Amino acid sequence: MLSALFHRSAASAADFSHLRQASVELRNVIKQYDAHTVLNGVNLSVEPGEVVTILGPSGSGKSTLIRLINQLESLSGGEIFIDGKPISQLRGAALRQLRSRIGFVFQQFNLYAHLTALSNIALALEYVHGWNKTEAEHRALELLEKVGLAEKANAYAAQLSGGQQQRVAIARALASSPQIILFDEPTSALDPEMIGEVLQVMKNLAHSGITMIVVTHEMHFAREIADRVVFIDGGDILEVAAPEDFFTRPQHPRTQRFLKKVL
Ligand code: ADP
Ligand code: MG
């Protein structure tokens, strides 16, 4: 019954077409932690509105790569350009403005457990973006509708399932109408039966206009939604290909070995 409700509301409310888009370019990106080099000079261009999935073994540098894009980590070398503008030197208000253009969805949903679904979204708009309460709550409800959770607006985050919490987190990431959304293994912390509902929301979002970069271990999902698949290992991008080519004709021996293990 509940799942029927979700499917109906998700199908009718999944219009994300208001979202804008921006390009992302990594040029010779290097990241070191002390003596440990985690990214060895990575180059990647993501077109406005493109959906790119990033695959690779644990510890290969996937999280580091996407955390650099919204400057949750600072670069050790190279540069990242958003819509052609370098971001590494941004500080203060300019950095906050950059971050408001980039949504981020974490593996752990990071909601405030003691706040309602609605407040988790509305408070970000009020305190980070300066919206008034009425506007913020109106917008939050719209976003909850888009992820099929309008009926949970007043439930506390702690009362929601993992899948529902992650859908609220996606709605929150979309609150400031970002041009880019980054996902870092958004379904890895979920029980298997909840993965589908989160992937469905992400599918609705893909090709809505927003630029989307997704680190995932969900191979079928990556194949289905990506314009291009990126394979990273040991801090190097080893392969970038259209999904069909990537999964049926991987070129690099390490990609081939990785796919043998996970498929
Ligand atoms: P992935 O997301 O692909 O699993 P990460 O980007 O999280 O990989 O990590 C890549 C490498 O960087 C790992 O060896 C990890 O231990 C190291 N690393 C990540 N974050 C830090 C940090 N804050 N300090 C030191 N080393 C880190
Ligand atoms: Mg990671």
Side-chain angles (χ1 to χ4, degrees), residues 9-22:
S9 61
S12 61
D15 179 13
F16 292 107
S17 57
H18 66 292
L19 294 169
R20 299 158 300 155
Q21 49 192 237

Side-chain angles (χ1 to χ4, degrees), residues 33-34 36-39 56-65 67 73 184-185 215 217 232:
Y33 294 107
D34 301 321
H36 182 190
T37 301
V38 174
L39 293 173
S58 181
S60 56
K62 305 180 298 297
S63 294
T64 304
L65 190 156
R67 290 167 64 84
E73 304 283 351
D184 192 358
E185 297 194 33
V215 175
H217 291 297
I232 177 169

